């Protein structure tokens, strides 16, 4: 997603994995599809990860970039 910070990259990976789980495992089981790995679960996993990363990008745009605790203290003068 074009981020530079290591913490932001780790966050993006975690959100992508969560989205892939929601799209590939959780959603098909709720909808009643057959369990196991197939092409549809792969496609839904990729779509779930993409949707979650887009939502993360929108949230970051609204809230602002992540800052570590050191940069916060300098803003409080």
């Amino acid at each position: 997603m074009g981020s530079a910070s290591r913490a932001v990259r780790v966050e993006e990976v975690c959100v992508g994995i969560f989205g892939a789980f929601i799209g590939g495992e959780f959603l098909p089981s709720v909808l009643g599809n057959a369990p196991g790995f197939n092409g549809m679960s792969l496609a839904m996993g990729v779509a779930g990860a993409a949707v979650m990363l887009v939502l993360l990008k929108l949230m970051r745009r609204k809230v602002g970039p992540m800052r570590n605790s050191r940069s916060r203290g300098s803003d409080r003068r």
Side-chain angles (χ1 to χ4, degrees):
M1 287 179 48
S3 57
S5 172
R6 187 180 307 185
V8 173
R9 286 185 184 157
V10 169
E11 181 184 30
E12 289 172 354
V13 168
C14 291
V15 167
I17 291 171
F18 178 71
F21 170 74
I22 294 295
E25 290 289 327
F26 182 71
L27 196 59
S29 67
V30 169
L31 296 176
N33 292 347
F37 180 76
N38 56 28
M40 185 60 142
S41 66
L42 177 65
M44 289 184 73
V46 170
V51 166
M52 291 298 288
L53 287 171
V54 167
L55 288 175
L56 176 67
K57 188 174 184 179
L58 291 173
M59 286 174 31
R60 284 283 161 231
R61 187 177 296 161
K62 183 72 176 172
V63 174
M66 286 179 52
R67 289 186 251 167
N68 61 16
S69 61
R70 291 181 187 160
S71 64
R72 273 192 194 162
S74 63
D75 292 342
R76 293 184 180 178
R77 286 189 203 186

